């Protein structure tokens, strides 16, 4: 009986990465439409993928205790030893899978390899022809991973699943993990995108003097830095990205080398800022796993650290997710910014993205609008939108801190409320969209 249970677990585990393909497609369609039925359905479908192997492996434990039990008097000792061994195996499996197997072999082959190892135990118990079961499962390792979506390039890094896809117009887009959001965009003839990255091109005119340096935390494919190379060629850009593989992708697929003054740095944003002695005129934070904000990049402590690394007259700006009727997340981040800066501003330029920014020195709205007239070239197309949608952040509620920063809770409420209300989820392009 135990051998049969382990064999079921092994087969179900081996099938999981292949059965995941239609489920993940369903999930993608659900997120694209933000339909409550599809999203909830895809959530339970994802649970179903692992329900069989996890249940079967869980059912094996009582059998193992019974088989290893010489007498009832030894029940506690035997169960304790088996569960201690199980805990040690869980710890080893967690670290080996995350740090070795997945980066080296990928998710599909890690699951299939694990299934083959479980099948070895089943075969030893069942004997006979079942001894070939591990060999059959091991042969599945030769099957190449399927593509969830057609891609120009795809790979798994130690942090995430990376995919470069065509935009259908000769350009490229960077998708991570589920592919719900685009993290970078590239077009051969243009650096403007008509999307939120263009908003950061309005920052240099807002400063009292032209900036000399900028730090981008969450550089991804380097879309912002590439555009700065065109419109602000004197600005030195340090693009910090936690995933080294994304720096390779940025150079190969997204023209990061087009801006000779952009330096790509593989590091976590906040520790980098803690360790560096460099000071910047601009700090841009775009390090999000859409639509979630890493909490430690949205707290009072982080903003005070950022202020220490700004030159006099410098500014910090953040891309923050929003919905047409819910700006609670950007309001909370703006409120927190005010704990480190004299004032904060929110530019509601898009339906689903706010740019929240603060200058190291106070400045009036009239002065900001006057400074924007220095915007170069097509960046000036954003002026009417800036003047119409800019608003000061009036602090409300408690600021976010390293001790308490419920950004996930705020984001989840925002998403669920948007799903409940329904409506259109299209994002109109900015005036800077390439023709």
């Amino acid at each position: 009986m135990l051998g049969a249970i382990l064999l079921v677990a092994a087969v179900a585990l081996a099938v999981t990465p292949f059965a995941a393909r239609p489920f993940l497609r369903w999930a993608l369609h659900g997120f694209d439409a933000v339909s409550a039925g599809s999203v909830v359905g895809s959530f339970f479908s994802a649970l179903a993928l692992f329900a069989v192997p996890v249940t079967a492996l869980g059912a094996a434990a009582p059998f193992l205790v019974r088989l290893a039990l010489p007498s009832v008097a030894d029940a506690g000792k035997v169960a304790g030893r088996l569960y201690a061994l199980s805990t040690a195996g869980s710890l080893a499996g967690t670290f080996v899978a995350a740090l070795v197997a997945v980066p080296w072999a990928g998710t599909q082959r890690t699951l299939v390899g694990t299934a083959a190892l479980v099948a070895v135990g089943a075969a030893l118990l069942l004997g006979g022809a079942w001894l070939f079961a591990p060999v059959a499962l091991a042969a599945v390792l030769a099957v190449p991973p399927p593509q969830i979506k057609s891609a120009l390039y795809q790979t798994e890094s130690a942090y995430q699943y990376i995919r470069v896809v065509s935009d259908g117009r000769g350009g490229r887009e960077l998708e991570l993990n589920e592919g719900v959001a685009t993290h970078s965009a590239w077009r051969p003839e243009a650096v403007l995108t008509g999307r939120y990255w263009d908003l950061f091109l309005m920052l240099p005119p807002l400063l009292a003097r032209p900036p000399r340096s900028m730090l981008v935390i969450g550089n991804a494919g380097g879309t912002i830095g590439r555009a700065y190379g065109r419109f602000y060629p004197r600005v030195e850009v340090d693009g910090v990205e936690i995933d080294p593989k994304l720096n390779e992708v940025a150079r190969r697929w997204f023209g990061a080398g087009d801006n000779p003054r952009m330096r790509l740095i593989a590091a976590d944003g906040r520790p980098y800022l803690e360790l560096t002695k460099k000071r910047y005129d601009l700090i841009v934070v775009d390090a999000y796993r859409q639509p979630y904000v890493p909490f430690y990049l949205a707290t009072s402590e982080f903003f005070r650290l950022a202020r220490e690394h700004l030159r006099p007259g410098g500014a910090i700006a953040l891309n923050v997710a929003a919905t047409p009727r819910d700006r609670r997340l950007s309001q909370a981040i703006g409120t927190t910014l005010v704990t480190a800066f004299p004032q904060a501003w929110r530019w509601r330029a898009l339906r689903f993205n706010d740019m929240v920014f603060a200058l190291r020195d106070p400045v009036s709205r009239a002065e900001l609008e006057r400074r924007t007239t220095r915007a170069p070239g097509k960046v000036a197309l954003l002026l009417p939108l800036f003047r119409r949608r800019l608003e000061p952040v009036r602090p409300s509620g408690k600021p976010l801190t390293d001790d308490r920063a419920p950004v996930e809770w705020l984001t989840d409420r925002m998403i669920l409320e948007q799903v409940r209300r329904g409506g259109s989820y299209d994002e109109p392009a900015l005036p800077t969209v390439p023709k």
Side-chain angles (χ1 to χ4, degrees):
M1 186 65 171
L2 177 59
I5 290 174
L6 291 177
L7 188 62
V8 168
V11 172
L13 198 58
V15 169
T16 295
F18 302 99
R21 189 173 185 179
F23 284 121
L24 291 178
R25 279 181 173 166
W26 186 13
L28 283 173
H29 290 309
F31 279 115
D32 285 341
V34 196
S35 162
S38 297
V39 172
V40 173
S42 63
F43 171 75
F44 284 106
S45 298
L47 289 180
L49 286 172
F50 291 96
V52 174
V54 168
T55 301
L57 289 172
F63 282 92
L64 291 171
V65 173
R66 180 65 185 87
L67 291 173
L69 191 63
S71 67
V72 176
D74 296 322
K77 180 170 63 177
V78 170
R81 287 176 178 174
L82 284 174
Y83 280 105
L85 183 63
S86 174
T87 301
S90 297
L91 290 171
T94 299
F95 286 108
V96 170
L99 302 179
V100 180
V102 171
W104 177 65
T107 303
Q108 175 178 303
R109 291 190 171 98
T110 297
L111 287 172
V112 173
T114 303
L117 292 176
V118 173
V120 169
L124 293 175
L125 290 170
L126 295 173
W130 294 112
L131 291 173
F132 293 99
V135 178
L137 289 178
V140 181
L141 290 169
V143 178
Q147 292 186 353
I148 302 302
K149 295 171 69 176
S150 59
L152 301 172
Y153 171 82
Q154 62 178 344
T155 188
E156 284 184 278
S157 73
Y159 293 91
Q160 56 210 336
Y161 182 72
I162 302 169
R163 184 169 51 249
V164 180
V165 300
S166 171
D167 67 358
R169 300 183 299 276
R172 302 169 192 147
E173 295 183 345
L174 175 65
E175 296 181 351
L176 303 177
N177 300 314
E178 302 89 350
V180 176
T182 299
H183 293 259
S184 286
W186 173 89
R187 295 185 73 174
E189 76 288 353
V191 296
L192 294 173
T193 63
R195 290 187 264 182
Y196 80 87
W197 301 288
D198 297 353
L199 302 179
F200 293 105
L201 295 171
M202 283 293 292
L203 292 173
L206 299 181
L207 305 186
R209 65 174 188 275
R212 292 178 292 164
S213 61
M214 176 175 72
L215 171 66
V216 179
I217 296 178
N219 193 55
T223 301
I224 297 172
R226 181 170 176 254
Y228 265 70
R230 177 78 56 85
F231 290 99
Y232 307 103
R234 295 180 181 273
V235 177
E236 293 182 357
V237 180
D238 285 349
V240 173
E241 173 56 53
I242 192 173
D243 191 343
K245 181 64 71 173
L246 276 183
N247 287 340
E248 298 175 17
V249 171
R251 292 187 182 96
R252 179 180 175 187
W253 295 99
F254 292 92
D258 294 352
N259 183 356
R261 299 178 73 85
M262 178 162 64
R263 184 169 64 119
L264 303 185
I265 301 168
D268 194 348
R270 183 162 171 178
Y272 169 81
L273 210 54
E274 292 271 8
L275 296 173
T276 187
K277 296 180 179 179
K278 193 171 181 179
R279 301 178 76 190
Y280 298 90
D281 295 300
L282 290 170
I283 295 178
V284 167
V285 182
D286 190 24
Y288 302 136
R289 185 180 296 275
Q290 293 291 352
Y292 293 92
V293 181
F295 84 92
Y296 60 93
L297 297 179
T299 65
S300 293
E301 292 85 350
F302 170 72
F303 292 141
R304 286 196 292 270
L305 174 66
R307 180 183 172 89
E308 292 171 1
H309 285 80
L310 283 175
R311 290 195 181 103
I316 182 173
L318 304 92
N319 168 41
V320 183
T323 64
R325 298 187 181 183
D326 192 334
R327 252 69 188 187
R328 274 178 289 191
L329 182 59
S330 63
Q331 177 64 35
I333 290 177
T335 297
T336 307
L337 263 176
V338 175
T339 64
F341 293 85
Q343 59 188 175
W345 300 87
R346 176 167 55 191
W347 184 12
R348 301 174 57 173
L350 294 164
R351 298 178 70 223
F352 293 97
N353 289 87
D354 288 344
M355 188 175 86
V356 181
F357 66 93
L359 281 75
R360 203 169 187 269
D361 304 315
V363 61
S364 67
R365 180 191 178 99
E367 176 62 15
L368 286 177
E369 292 185 359
R370 187 192 67 78
R371 292 178 181 180
T372 58
T373 58
R374 301 178 296 190
K378 292 185 178 180
V379 177
L381 296 173
L382 295 171
L383 291 182
L385 190 64
F386 183 84
R387 292 165 179 163
R388 189 169 65 249
R389 299 280 183 84
L390 180 68
E391 60 186 28
V393 174
R394 294 179 172 82
S396 64
K398 295 181 178 179
L400 306 174
T401 66
D402 286 350
D403 179 64
R404 181 183 178 277
V407 291
E408 290 86 1
W409 180 72
L410 289 170
T411 306
D412 288 340
R413 286 189 62 185
M414 182 174 67
I415 293 172
L416 291 174
E417 182 64 19
Q418 179 67 17
V419 170
R420 186 186 68 82
R421 290 180 180 275
S424 171
Y425 299 93
D426 294 331
E427 184 71 89
L430 292 168
T432 49
V433 63
K435 303 300 182 184

